[in-house]
């Protein structure tokens, strides 16, 4: 993150012009608003937007030549250095549009999202995955792209030349080199994926129930995590503040300790290669005991977004994991009104957080038991499952042993048979 903040402080945002083709397939205005926020998240400022309503794209240049002339003029007048198209473009479309705009650099929505993911990646695996996704997407589009993206903080971090490819200009990006880099990245990632599986197994052994927060970007997942566990995860009013899953320990009212996992936020029309690239990140959700689907109570599209969230989760083999829906940001003016059947929360004011915790306790209740035990002094090791995977509420060293009152996981119950009080 510090790298990003340095860039934000040092340089003014790159001015860009947004281009969109409105075929009536989705809410174009809303999509452009999201694109503008994406630009902001990548240190770019949208100074104008040019939209054309038409059923079929113009051959080669997508928008009509008159529209592109209009865009070219607006870009020149407003000092835009780059045009961002709200959709996916092929390599030749990028070249053609760039030519029609007098050589202005052209990028597309997917590239922008991939670049944001790359610059926000925290873990080594996240960095490699994002670089791989970006290189794979850029490879057939090398010509026609310029430097606006590469100026947004390429390089740095990620061990030696590990990230050079993603930050270079088109001239430096020799196809052969990119191919070799893609192969090397894919190989390293396969290795890491294997190790990741092993660490998941290790986590499963610790036995703490896992609860993951999933949902669209900016709905307040990191804020909820902070409000529930105390501050520590970076939070920003920009998209994609979270790239890698972050886990924190959360103590429920019953005393049960759970691992709360924050996952990467979804975006509308998530590019296919991006889903692939982040599959292992989203798969965290598949390893949970409970999935909390977070929606923005003030967003009109919340139900559609929840449906997309479910679709993605279903593709990740999560069908049998209980889901809890939380409508966050209920403090916002115009948010949903109170309904006893709906779990409304505000990470900002703390409203509903107690109910959320109680609900988690209820959903996980069959996972734990409350016990009173007296462990003889030669059996003190048995206290470990209660200390590490449950919680100790009363602890007294007595003449005949250690007296404990607390919570243990159901699968640990057998350790205490024979010592119950
Ligand atoms: N009014 C209000 N704003 C909130 C609430 N929760 C979060 N926000 C704001 O919403 C913005 C996004 O919050 P985050 O917690 O970063 O959202 P996220 O879902 O983790 O986003 P990604 O990391 O992009 O997936 C921030 O500006 C928060 O301050 C809330 O309950 N009420």
């Amino acid at each position: 993150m510090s790298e990003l903040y340095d860039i934000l402080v040092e340089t003014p945002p790159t001015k860009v012009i947004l281009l969109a083709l409105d075929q009536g397939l989705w809410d174009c205005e809303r999509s452009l608003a999201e694109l503008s926020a994406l630009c902001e998240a990548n240190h770019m400022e949208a100074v104008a937007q040019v939209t054309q309503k038409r059923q079929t794209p113009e051959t080669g240049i997508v928008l009509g030549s008159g529209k592109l002339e209009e865009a070219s003029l607006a870009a020149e007048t407003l000092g835009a250095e780059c045009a961002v198209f709200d959709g996916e473009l092929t390599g030749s479309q990028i070249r053609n549009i760039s030519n029609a705009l007098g050589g202005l650099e052209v990028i597309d929505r997917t590239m922008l999202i991939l670049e944001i993911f790359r610059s926000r990646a925290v873990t080594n695996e996240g960095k490699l995955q994002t670089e791989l996704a970006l290189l794979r997407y850029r490879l057939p589009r090398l010509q026609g792209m310029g430097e606006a993206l590469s100026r947004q903080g390429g390089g740095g971090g990620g061990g030696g030349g590990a990230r050079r490819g993603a930050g270079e200009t088109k001239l430096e990006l020799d196809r052969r080199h990119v191919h070799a880099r893609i192969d090397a990245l894919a190989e390293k990632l396969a290795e890491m994926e294997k190790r990741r599986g092993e660490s998941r197994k290790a986590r499963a052994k610790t036995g703490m129930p896992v609860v993951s927060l999933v949902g669209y970007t900016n709905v307040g997942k990191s804020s909820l995590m902070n409000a529930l566990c105390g501050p520590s995860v970076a939070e920003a009013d920009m998209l994609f503040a979270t790239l890698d899953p972050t886990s924190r320990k959360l103590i429920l009212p019953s005393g049960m300790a759970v691992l709360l996992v924050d996952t990467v936020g979804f975006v509308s029309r998530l590019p296919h290669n991006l889903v692939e690239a982040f599959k292992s990140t989203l798969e965290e959700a598949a390893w949970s005991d409970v999935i909390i689907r977070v929606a923005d109570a003030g967003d009109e599209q919340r139900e559609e977004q929840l449906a997309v969230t479910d679709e993605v989760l279903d593709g990740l083999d999560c069908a049998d994991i209980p889901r809890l829906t939380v409508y966050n940001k209920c403090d916002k003016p115009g948010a949903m009104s109170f309904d006893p059947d709906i779990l409304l929360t505000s990470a900002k004011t703390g409203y509903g957080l107690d109910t959320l915790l109680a609900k988690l306790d209820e959903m996980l209740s069959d996972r734990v038991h409350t016990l009173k035990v007296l462990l003889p002094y030669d059996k003190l090791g048995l206290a470990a499952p209660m200390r590490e995977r449950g919680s100790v509420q009363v602890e007294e060293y007595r003449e005949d042993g250690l007296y404990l009152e607390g919570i243990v996981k159901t699968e640990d119950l057998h350790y205490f048979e024979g010592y119950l009080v």
Side-chain angles (χ1 to χ4, degrees):
M1 287 305 269
S2 63
E3 182 196 322
L4 180 79
Y5 287 129
D6 290 347
I7 295 157
L8 293 181
V9 172
E10 281 167 19
T11 51
T14 308
K15 289 183 178 170
V16 299
I17 180 165
L18 308 185
L19 305 177
L21 176 69
D22 186 358
Q23 294 175 281
L25 299 175
W26 53 73
D27 182 343
C28 195
E29 271 306 302
R30 194 183 161 90
S31 180
L32 276 168
E34 192 179 67
L35 188 67
S36 180
L38 287 168
C39 285
E40 209 180 297
N42 198 42
H43 200 44
M44 292 168 149
E45 181 194 357
V47 290
Q49 59 188 54
V50 175
T51 308
Q52 185 167 38
K53 269 193 195 227
R54 56 186 292 164
Q55 289 289 314
T56 42
E58 181 74 38
T59 318
I61 50 173
V62 188
L63 300 180
S65 53
K67 267 288 164 193
L68 287 179
E69 257 172 51
E70 191 187 306
S72 182
L73 191 67
E76 204 181 318
T77 316
L78 298 166
E81 294 174 58
C82 173
V84 186
F85 181 75
D86 192 19
E88 287 202 0
L89 294 173
T90 63
S92 64
Q93 285 168 338
I94 288 181
R95 274 195 305 284
N96 295 338
I97 296 174
S98 174
N99 287 340
L101 296 177
L104 194 73
E105 178 178 357
V106 176
I107 60 169
D108 68 14
R109 194 173 190 274
T110 302
M111 244 179 260
L112 181 61
I113 293 172
L114 288 172
E115 178 59 24
I116 295 169
F117 270 33
R118 189 195 64 76
S119 64
R120 301 291 169 93
V122 183
T123 63
N124 278 338
E125 189 173 4
K127 282 173 185 164
L128 295 180
Q129 277 173 335
T130 51
E131 186 188 345
L132 182 63
L134 191 60
L135 288 179
R136 278 189 174 146
Y137 192 76
R138 285 176 108 173
L139 190 61
R141 298 172 176 81
L142 286 181
Q143 283 178 27
M145 283 170 42
E147 298 184 26
L149 278 181
S150 57
R151 249 182 276 134
Q152 311 296 320
R163 295 174 63 199
R164 269 188 66 232
E168 287 174 335
T169 65
K170 63 173 180 172
L171 294 173
E172 293 163 313
L173 273 170
D174 152 72
R175 270 172 217 265
R176 209 150 37 105
H177 167 75
V178 175
H179 271 301
R181 180 82 193 126
I182 286 176
D183 291 347
L185 284 170
E187 206 173 294
K188 253 195 213 167
L189 277 166
E191 232 171 73
M192 280 183 151
E193 176 64 23
K194 217 169 94 194
R195 265 186 272 142
R196 193 184 177 92
E198 279 155 16
S199 71
R200 278 204 194 106
K201 267 185 231 151
R203 181 199 279 176
K205 259 193 202 154
T206 74
M208 261 203 271
V210 178
V211 175
S212 43
L213 293 161
V214 298
Y216 265 68
T217 180
N218 228 35
V219 293
K221 298 180 296 301
S222 305
S223 307
L224 273 174
M225 189 172 211
N226 287 346
L228 293 166
C229 308
S232 144
V233 181
E235 180 193 332
D237 195 6
M238 291 200 288
L239 302 172
F240 304 111
T242 318
L243 179 65
D244 287 278
T246 326
S247 319
R248 309 266 304 277
K249 191 172 172 179
L250 170 67
I251 308 290
L252 299 181
S254 65
M256 187 189 340
V258 300
L259 204 63
L260 190 63
V261 179
D262 191 9
T263 63
V264 63
F266 303 148
V267 273
S268 331
R269 294 186 282 128
L270 199 69
H272 175 70
N273 33 2
L274 198 144
V275 177
E276 276 302 302
F278 292 92
K279 203 163 160 254
S280 62
T281 318
L282 295 173
E283 269 174 355
E284 287 291 320
W287 286 77
S288 314
D289 295 277
V290 173
I291 294 174
I292 305 182
R293 307 188 308 158
V294 187
D296 181 341
D299 192 325
E300 285 171 7
Q301 306 259 319
R302 57 188 177 256
E303 294 307 328
E304 285 87 341
Q305 295 191 341
L306 282 173
V308 176
T309 306
D310 276 342
E311 238 172 71
V312 176
L313 287 176
D314 291 346
L316 290 172
D317 203 15
C318 300
D320 53 342
I321 300 173
R323 296 177 196 180
L324 174 63
T325 308
V326 163
Y327 293 90
N328 187 43
K329 303 199 188 185
C330 69
D331 58 286
K332 278 199 334 198
M336 300 156 78
S337 46
F338 177 77
D339 177 334
D341 294 332
I342 283 177
L343 186 46
L344 289 171
T345 62
S346 165
K348 202 161 207 158
T349 66
Y351 181 88
L353 298 185
D354 288 353
T355 319
L356 167 58
L357 291 175
K359 192 84 196 153
L360 285 177
D361 248 338
E362 191 187 309
M363 292 175 86
L364 292 165
S365 62
D366 61 335
R367 307 281 315 265
V368 292
H369 286 263
T370 306
L371 294 184
K372 291 177 186 171
V373 293
L374 185 68
L375 300 177
Y377 282 113
D378 61 343
K379 295 278 186 230
L380 289 189
L382 289 179
M386 188 185 280
R387 288 194 210 284
E388 288 161 20
R389 297 195 284 269
S391 74
V392 175
Q393 275 136 19
V394 177
E395 181 168 1
E396 285 169 17
Y397 285 87
R398 297 181 177 173
E399 240 173 63
D400 45 353
L402 174 63
Y403 173 79
L404 294 171
E405 271 182 43
I407 289 170
V408 296
K409 296 198 66 185
T410 305
E411 59 260 43
D412 289 336
L413 259 182
H414 65 277
Y415 291 120
F416 301 95
E417 274 164 26
Y419 307 108
L420 298 175
V421 181

